Amino acid sequence: MTKRRRRALAAALSALGLAAALKGAAAVRDAPAPAPAGAASCAELSPAALRGRRIFHHGALASGEPVEGRLGASGAALHGKAAACAGCHGRSGDGTSEGGVAAPPLTPEQLFAADRAGGAYTAETLAIAVRDGRAPAARDLHLVMPRYRLDRAHLDDLYAYLRCVGRDADPGVSPEALRLGAALPLTGRFAAAGAAARDVLAAAFAEVNAQGGVFRRRLELVVADSEDTLDGAAATSRLLDQRVFALVGSVWSGDGDAAARLAADEVPLVGPLGSGLPASDPGDGVVFHLQPGLDTLARVAVAHLAGAPAPSGAEALLVVHPAGPRGDAFLRGARSEALRRGLPAPVSLPFEPGRFDAAAAADAAARLRPRAVLLAGEGDELSRWLAAPSPPATRPRPRPALYAPAFLMRRDPGSLRLAAAARLLLVHASPTDEAERLDLLSLASFLERHRVPPRHTAFQASAYAAARVLVEALKRAGAHLTRPGLVAALEELRGFDPGPGPAITFGRNRRVGAYGASLTGVDPASNDVSPVSAWVEVVP
């Protein structure tokens, strides 16, 4: 139950003195009742029941619009997740008792049994109860039960799901096995990286299976070839057609149609690979990123800059970024952290993706004389910036610090020499300290144990971390496994160590597992990349 809803319910109880009503509601939980007819049909939910499940678990209609309700005739308004039935009645409909408020069970045995006190619910009487707050036999439900604004079609969807709540089985789930999918490039130029990630996922699941599986379910990996792309949208669609339960370590670009289908089918994707980093935290949905977004990298760069002395006459921050959602998120992160640190608002210098004019950008920076330049991109923008000739100086000026995401950096000797001369600081989405080195040694031991050759280390480390996060969430989700239950278990992860990479924390409105970064620089004497800071956390 959400804090907002709990406060509203407690206030209503205190004002209305409904202890007796709640006592009666709680008593229903213990009333024995036979299983309703047709329960076996819950092995595969109907389209109506799937729509009803979104209402029950997420407070959302199939269209994505939030469900709306109100406590009593004129009480506090609720909408979206705060209005979800599962928030009070539990993910399996078993009822809860939290914060002094008892919510009765909504299982089929309780609602639809022929000998139920007051009569079994029908589609009609359930609609009246949900919409108007009146139970069968015209008994008023207590006022802490929201009155929902749902039309009859949505009420019928909810009725269809309530006949199965607690016994519904999602695609890919059987008593013996759990089918999990990954979209990975197995042909084309990225085939070696895709195969490296596949082998790690398979080895991680084999290790779990050797220990008895998860609640005695064997983990099965189904891989769809994304071919010569790191997009994964078409391969993801094929995996859903093959009825996998969830996706793990899949390549992902955030394609709109693929994201819409994942959301509509409530299919979690844990630890997407191959798309760089998320632009920012989407706040909800079914895609759980393990690494921080581009906005967070920019925030850490500004936080580091704020702790360094400012050269005389150089105060401005210049953000050079591609136009579009990802570049805009980078700029937004820099601006929010600058405001928080009391620094001047950064100046934006956008460029069209794929059309970066490094010489013009360097000339603009020379005219501005900034304290620092934050550079974002998706390709060779950093290399072109480092190679661009410096504009002629009309007067001495301090050289600005240069920050860029680490994934933009090429590691050839020439690029490292230019990076050292430019005082480049690389912002990493993973820790670069001794603890991370030990985690990578642990990964190397895992690979050796399973006879997986080490290659494409970034892909292998990301796949390993994604597998560990998913397995932990599956264990926490319990034996009655559903996709909403897995999402809820992921939301409950706090400070989980996945091995390589940062500790992971998710939440009800948090889908990026880490808010922080670390920095490295290039030593001018040796051209070696070395840590400049430990992991820097920023406030979500």
Side-chain angles (χ1 to χ4, degrees):
M1 189 185 301
T2 64
K3 290 182 179 178
R4 176 186 174 192
R5 189 166 185 175
R6 189 157 56 242
R7 287 196 299 266
L9 295 178
L13 282 172
S14 176
L16 299 171
L18 294 174
L22 287 178
K23 183 177 179 181
V28 175
R29 183 180 324 187
D30 302 321
S41 65
C42 295
E44 184 171 345
L45 295 182
S46 67
L50 286 171
R51 294 191 298 269
R53 187 169 70 173
R54 284 181 62 79
I55 295 172
F56 184 93
H57 287 287
H58 303 292
L61 306 178
S63 64
E65 296 177 78
V67 169
E68 296 182 1
R70 188 171 293 278
L71 296 174
S74 58
L78 302 170
H79 67 278
K81 285 189 175 181
C85 310
C88 285
H89 296 279
R91 295 199 301 267
S92 297
D94 292 324
T96 63
S97 180
E98 185 178 351
V101 179
L106 298 181
T107 58
E109 294 86 349
Q110 295 289 353
L111 292 181
F112 306 118
D115 59 350
R116 180 184 181 278
Y121 275 94
T122 65
E124 183 61 37
T125 58
L126 181 73
I128 294 171
V130 171
R131 188 178 53 216
D132 302 325
R134 289 201 311 278
R139 180 177 66 84
D140 285 344
L141 298 175
H142 51 76
L143 296 184
V144 293
M145 165 66 185
R147 277 54 171 165
Y148 289 95
R149 295 178 58 186
L150 293 169
D151 63 29
R152 187 50 191 263
H154 296 136
L155 290 165
D156 287 345
D157 291 342
L158 181 59
Y159 173 80
Y161 180 63
L162 287 175
R163 295 198 68 87
C164 288
V165 65
R167 60 178 74 240
D168 48 320
D170 278 321
V173 180
S174 74
E176 299 81 22
L178 181 64
R179 190 183 309 120
L180 303 165
L184 292 167
L186 301 179
T187 55
R189 54 186 166 156
F190 304 113
R198 176 202 59 198
D199 293 346
V200 167
L201 292 173
F205 293 165
E207 192 165 87
V208 172
N209 291 339
Q211 298 167 0
V214 179
F215 290 101
R216 300 185 179 180
R217 288 190 179 98
R218 180 181 68 259
L219 304 185
E220 297 179 349
L221 178 64
V222 181
V223 179
D225 186 6
S226 68
E227 300 174 346
D228 194 23
T229 176
L230 296 178
D231 178 282
T236 294
S237 181
R238 295 198 303 274
L239 287 168
L240 297 185
D241 291 340
Q242 295 178 62
R243 299 177 60 75
V244 298
F245 173 73
L247 300 176
V248 57
S250 280
V251 292
W252 179 251
S253 67
D255 175 82
D257 291 340
R261 184 168 180 194
L262 287 183
D265 291 350
E266 301 180 286
V267 182
L269 165 54
V270 178
L273 308 181
S275 59
L277 301 172
S280 57
D281 194 331
D284 55 14
V286 294
V287 181
F288 289 81
H289 298 271
L290 303 192
Q291 294 187 318
L294 287 169
D295 56 341
T296 298
L297 298 194
R299 292 183 60 195
V300 169
V302 173
H304 179 266
L305 182 71
S312 175
E315 294 294 333
L317 307 181
L318 177 63
V319 181
V320 183
H321 63 96
R326 292 175 63 78
D328 292 346
F330 190 78
L331 173 64
R332 190 166 57 248
R335 283 179 169 169
S336 67
E337 194 66 22
L339 177 64
R340 183 170 177 270
R341 303 278 177 171
L343 300 177
V347 177
S348 169
L349 182 61
F351 59 87
E352 289 300 317
R355 300 177 62 183
F356 178 56
D357 188 335
D363 186 61
R367 291 195 303 271
L368 181 65
R369 304 181 70 245
R371 174 182 177 183
V373 175
L374 277 64
L375 174 66
E378 298 295 330
D380 64 350
E381 293 88 355
L382 177 58
S383 297
R384 293 166 67 183
W385 174 277
L386 294 174
S390 299
T394 57
R395 54 177 174 157
R397 62 178 182 273
R399 181 188 296 273
L402 175 62
Y403 294 84
F407 64 81
L408 292 180
M409 181 64 193
R410 292 168 53 184
R411 297 305 179 102
D412 60 90
S415 296
L416 290 171
R417 283 194 298 271
L418 291 171
R423 297 173 54 207
L424 171 65
L425 293 173
L426 298 170
V427 191
H428 296 256
S430 292
T432 57
D433 56 10
E434 179 66 15
E436 182 68 3
R437 189 184 72 82
L438 293 176
D439 282 338
L440 290 173
L441 288 176
S442 176
L443 171 61
S445 176
F446 167 85
L447 296 176
E448 183 177 0
R449 220 167 39 244
H450 292 275
R451 300 181 180 179
V452 176
R455 51 180 178 162
H456 295 279
T457 305
F459 257 56
Q460 289 184 319
S462 296
Y464 182 67
R468 282 176 52 85
V469 170
L470 175 62
V471 169
E472 178 67 18
L474 289 172
K475 292 176 179 177
R476 298 188 186 199
H480 177 67
L481 186 60
T482 64
R483 286 165 173 167
L486 176 58
V487 167
L490 286 163
E491 290 176 341
E492 292 167 2
L493 287 182
R494 299 288 185 274
F496 176 73
D497 181 5
I504 299 302
T505 294
F506 293 121
R508 287 178 68 89
N509 290 294
R510 175 171 167 167
R511 293 297 186 265
V512 169
Y515 276 90
S518 55
L519 291 98
T520 60
V522 182
D523 186 337
S526 63
N527 286 339
D528 289 335
V529 177
S530 58
V532 170
S533 78
W535 183 256
V536 178
E537 292 275 356
V538 292
V539 178

